[in-house]
Amino acid sequence: MKLTHTFSFLLFLLLLVHTSSKPTLASKDSSSYVVYFGAHSHVGEITKDAMDRVKETHYDFLGSFIGSREIATDAIFYSYTKHINGFAAHLDHDLAYAISKHNSYVPSSSIWRKARFGEDTIIANLDTGVWPESKSFRDEGLGPIPSRWKGICQNQKDATFHCNRKLIGARYFHKGYAAAVGPLNSTFESPRDLDGHGSHTLSTAAGDFVPGVSIFGQGNGTAKGGSPRARVAAYKITVGASTMDREFASNLVLGNGKHYKGQSLSSTALPHAKFYPIMASVNAKAKNASALDAQLCKLGSLDPIKAKGKILVCLRGQNPRVEKGRVVALAGGVGMVLENTNVTGNDLTADPHVLPATQLTSKDSFAVSRYISQTKKPIAHITPSRTDLGLKPAPVMASFSSKGPSTVAPQILKPDITAPGVSVIAAYTAAVSPTDQQFDPRRLLFNAISGTSMSCPHISGIAGLLKTRYPSWSPAAIRSAIMTTATTMDDIPGPIQNATNMKATPFSFGAGHVQPNLAVNPGLIYDLGIKDYLNFLCSLRYNASQISVFSGNNFTCSSPKTSLVNLNYPSITVPNLSSNKVTVSRTVKNVGRPSTYTVRVANPQGVYVTVKPTSLNFTKVGEQKTFKVILVKSKGNVAKGYVFGELVWSDKKHRVRSPIVVKL
């Protein structure tokens, strides 16, 4: 996974032809080497400060091997800081060899190091359980279980299930389900994950580093959780999902020489460079099947005589994607192309197909269909799956990601944030296949899955790291740090797009794509306490009896009731600017050094925004300041519906950004 800086690296050494008389680190037989970490993941404009930070990580890295940052700084004679990440240095051969064997490096500026990898933070996961044998939950190098842990390992009816110093607890809760559906079988009497979902989400949030992970030969080298040294407890909700700059690519090569890049995790491949006839699946329709069923490659819809030995093009939708490939294989087809519709656009999913297959965007699917219809004997080849890094643009919002506005409280922007949620590699269960289909006998210890269920644990892991770094921070403070440091730019750089190449809005990504290394030092935070949340429920017209469920005692709502737009949230949403003016109040707390912040506003279309005061001076940590945001309809405004802007407080070191959402 890559965010602001590269977290997992391709690390190798190149011996340079150039040599120099500059003093070397150790011996006389030293040479000049390049240490290469892979592509950068700079977000937005590549500033001098960003390049300087990269240089600092290079000095830290080499210094960690030789025990002296000063000597390392002297040995490095060039740093690659813009497009590739690496450095050139004078090294002796033994040192170069040792570095070449090092498969991962975490710079000192990383939130992982600053938060001690989430050491002894406890992350609980309410999901389908856990596969305890996974390497993601091994406890090597961990000390005793924290004394504050009061949970249990509920394995009395499953002697094969074991907890350890990493997986410190596990329970199952099924009484309500049993009451609804009747008696349950013995598999419910264990926290063991028989689905895969729970193991995947838990290991994403807090799994240990597991090098050398691959899925059918594909992978990013290392599986790792957000808080790898956190303790986890498994038990048998507002983040968008977006892509990352890695994909599992598979090309479709047509007989006319055109190449179309798709995605796949097929475990099998066609013979090298061998072409096969390609046809639309509807033209292989079985006698009694409907044209639509054949187009969707549903069970029983294809004629084996027509499909045998061919690559079939199937339409995405209705039945499972992997099932479509099985239908093609059962009919004698040698491969499948899964074509997107206009609705799914550029949203591609790398599935573990049971035959050579690839999924194409709607635009490329149209080009392939045109080639087939206009060519007398169309042929094609599907290349084997491969891992591509440095993808641009990234992130892109996934088409399946839920979108705002909130129907319960439209005054609160949802989602809050977006994080990687497409083709995320994490631990899995050995109880079911990677496709979760009964016909599939394959079993994997790690699997690539897509969904907001995959993006949410990224945020959970980052929250765990922030709680480790700042134990006294409230959940609201942690959320604020994550939201106000997020980015709305991709790696081109340009505005984050959705799956149909349109500019995405805060209703897709919330405050933006998470940047954990910046979240660890947000400068200012928007905080909330229990009383604020209870008054929020009052504003939603919960009665005293309902509120007591949350408060645990009698709670008197403030009078007059707090306006929902004034909840001290890191975003500002006015769902109905029907009057000429609305005033919103916010309070920020300084969590950095003494500093003066000034405000900058990007007005939503048709709205004029004023902030009072325009500067905030903080003299100590914990100091709070309140400001007003006045939103006025512009004269002659013709805009309708939702419009978007932003408010940014900056002291030139920190950039505390809040999205502004207004409905006219």
Side-chain angles (χ1 to χ4, degrees):
M1 164 180 159
K2 298 178 183 178
L3 293 168
T4 305
H5 295 294
T6 305
F7 280 167
S8 55
F9 306 110
L10 298 172
L11 176 59
F12 60 87
L13 294 149
L14 299 175
L15 177 62
L16 297 180
V17 174
H18 169 77
T19 58
S20 170
S21 59
K22 184 176 178 179
T24 62
L25 279 178
S27 63
K28 290 186 276 186
D29 61 344
S30 61
S31 301
S32 299
Y33 289 84
V34 170
V35 178
Y36 174 67
F37 296 117
H40 276 296
S41 292
H42 290 299
V43 176
E45 181 183 356
I46 305 175
T47 64
K48 183 179 182 300
D49 285 344
M51 291 188 287
D52 287 343
R53 287 195 296 270
V54 173
K55 284 184 180 180
E56 294 300 312
T57 67
H58 296 164
Y59 301 146
D60 287 345
F61 175 80
L62 187 56
S64 69
F65 278 89
I66 61 178
S68 170
R69 193 176 188 278
E70 183 178 356
I71 297 176
T73 303
D74 188 54
I76 295 175
F77 58 86
Y78 191 80
S79 281
Y80 302 93
T81 59
K82 286 187 177 180
H83 304 295
I84 69 168
N85 186 8
F87 61 85
H90 299 279
L91 310 172
D92 70 36
H93 300 318
D94 290 341
L95 179 58
Y97 180 77
I99 293 174
S100 71
K101 296 299 181 183
H102 189 82
N103 68 355
S104 182
Y105 169 67
V106 180
S108 60
S109 59
S110 166
I111 187 175
W112 272 337
R113 286 207 183 277
K114 290 183 177 179
R116 307 189 314 280
F117 297 88
E119 186 173 22
D120 283 350
T121 292
I122 298 173
I123 295 179
N125 190 41
L126 187 65
D127 211 306
T128 62
V130 63
W131 193 259
E133 292 83 4
S134 173
K135 291 182 179 179
S136 291
F137 308 119
R138 60 190 177 185
D139 63 359
E140 285 88 342
L142 292 179
I145 295 173
S147 59
R148 67 184 187 279
W149 171 246
K150 305 301 180 185
I152 65 171
C153 188
Q154 193 174 4
N155 57 0
Q156 293 84 356
K157 295 187 179 182
D158 183 358
T160 67
F161 190 100
H162 300 286
C163 295
N164 57 26
R165 288 171 297 155
K166 173 72 173 178
L167 181 62
I168 61 175
R171 298 194 66 177
Y172 52 90
F173 304 94
H174 59 50
K175 291 182 180 179
Y177 184 57
V181 303
L184 305 174
N185 63 45
S186 60
T187 62
F188 287 86
E189 302 289 334
S190 170
R192 181 174 293 279
D193 183 12
L194 303 181
D195 177 89
H197 193 279
S199 299
H200 197 280
T201 56
L202 183 59
S203 64
T204 299
D208 193 11
F209 288 93
V210 183
V213 170
S214 67
I215 303 173
F216 303 129
Q218 305 301 317
N220 70 342
T222 303
K224 45 187 152 326
S227 298
R229 291 189 65 82
R231 315 300 176 113
V232 298
Y235 297 88
K236 188 167 174 181
I237 297 170
T238 57
V239 181
S242 42
T243 65
M244 60 186 92
D245 61 349
R246 180 203 65 201
E247 64 181 3
F248 303 116
S250 173
N251 291 0
L252 178 70
V253 185
L254 300 181
N256 61 7
K258 297 284 187 180
H259 288 239
Y260 297 98
K261 186 178 182 181
Q263 291 195 33
S264 177
L265 273 171
S266 295
S267 57
T268 59
L270 296 175
H272 178 67
K274 185 174 180 179
F275 282 72
Y276 293 84
I278 183 171
M279 68 186 300
S281 61
V282 69
N283 293 326
K285 183 180 80 69
K287 184 177 180 180
N288 296 323
S290 70
L292 179 59
D293 283 356
Q295 191 179 19
L296 293 166
C297 294
K298 290 189 174 182
L299 284 169
S301 67
L302 303 179
D303 186 339
I305 296 176
K306 299 174 183 177
K308 186 177 180 180
K310 297 181 177 67
I311 295 173
L312 267 58
V313 180
C314 302
L315 183 66
R316 180 179 179 179
Q318 294 193 18
N319 54 325
R321 296 183 297 271
V322 176
E323 181 186 276
K324 297 174 188 288
R326 180 178 182 246
V327 171
V328 172
L330 289 174
V334 297
M336 178 186 70
V337 176
L338 190 59
E339 59 177 8
N340 270 8
T341 65
N342 289 333
V343 175
T344 49
N346 299 322
D347 188 47
L348 300 180
T349 302
D351 291 310
H353 294 285
V354 296
L355 82 171
T358 190
Q359 183 182 348
L360 300 181
T361 65
S362 57
K363 179 181 177 182
D364 289 347
S365 297
F366 178 76
V368 171
S369 296
R370 186 171 53 195
Y371 164 76
I372 292 173
S373 64
Q374 296 178 356
T375 305
K376 188 174 183 180
K377 292 184 178 181
I379 57 174
H381 174 76
I382 299 173
T383 65
S385 299
R386 66 185 186 276
T387 302
D388 285 351
L389 302 174
L391 181 68
K392 294 179 184 292
V396 173
M397 297 307 303
S399 64
F400 58 77
S401 184
S402 298
K403 299 174 178 61
S406 167
T407 56
V408 176
Q411 298 86 351
I412 309 299
L413 174 63
K414 293 297 170 185
D416 287 334
I417 196 77
T418 188
V422 177
S423 296
V424 175
I425 297 177
Y428 206 58
T429 176
V432 297
S433 72
T435 61
D436 198 26
Q437 300 293 317
Q438 290 186 354
F439 63 77
D440 189 355
R442 299 172 296 178
R443 297 294 183 267
L444 296 174
L445 296 178
F446 294 87
N447 197 10
I449 311 180
S450 300
T452 50
S453 293
M454 284 64 251
S455 57
C456 182
H458 279 93
I459 300 300
S460 301
I462 293 165
L465 292 170
L466 291 173
K467 189 64 175 177
T468 303
R469 176 72 171 177
Y470 305 108
S472 64
W473 275 17
S474 68
I478 291 172
R479 176 179 55 215
S480 175
I482 291 172
M483 289 179 64
T484 59
T485 57
T487 181
T488 60
M489 304 294 286
D490 61 27
D491 57 1
I492 287 182
I496 292 176
Q497 299 178 351
N498 60 27
T500 56
N501 284 338
M502 300 294 289
K503 181 181 176 181
T505 74
F507 284 146
S508 291
F509 53 64
H513 192 81
V514 64
Q515 298 189 101
N517 287 349
L518 297 184
V520 78
N521 184 19
L524 304 176
I525 58 169
Y526 295 83
D527 208 355
L528 288 166
I530 294 176
K531 185 176 180 180
D532 298 301
Y533 286 113
L534 295 177
N535 277 319
F536 172 71
L537 296 179
C538 294
S539 299
L540 290 177
R541 299 186 178 180
Y542 280 61
N543 60 40
S545 176
Q546 293 169 323
I547 293 175
S548 67
V549 174
F550 301 96
S551 65
N553 50 37
N554 293 328
F555 176 78
T556 303
C557 295
S558 61
S559 182
K561 291 182 179 179
T562 304
S563 171
L564 288 175
V565 297
N566 287 326
L567 183 70
N568 202 41
Y569 219 72
S571 57
I572 296 172
T573 304
V574 179
N576 189 9
L577 190 59
S578 55
S579 61
N580 289 329
K581 182 174 74 172
V582 169
T583 299
V584 176
S585 176
R586 289 291 186 272
T587 299
V588 287
K589 180 190 294 185
N590 182 38
V591 293
R593 295 179 178 177
S595 190
T596 298
Y597 287 80
T598 56
V599 73
R600 180 185 64 79
V601 173
N603 289 319
Q605 182 184 359
V607 180
Y608 183 72
V609 180
T610 304
V611 180
K612 296 181 179 180
T614 58
S615 67
L616 301 173
N617 181 46
F618 296 93
T619 60
K620 59 184 179 181
V621 174
E623 186 177 2
Q624 300 188 68
K625 300 281 186 179
T626 297
F627 62 93
K628 302 289 185 183
V629 182
I630 305 162
L631 302 98
V632 180
K633 281 185 180 180
S634 300
K635 292 183 178 179
N637 169 59
V638 294
K640 293 183 178 180
Y642 279 100
V643 289
F644 309 96
E646 65 178 20
L647 181 154
V648 180
W649 289 104
S650 176
D651 64 350
K652 297 185 178 179
K653 181 178 181 181
H654 304 94
R655 186 174 183 269
V656 187
R657 178 185 172 276
S658 294
I660 300 175
V661 179
V662 180
K663 186 178 182 182
L664 297 172

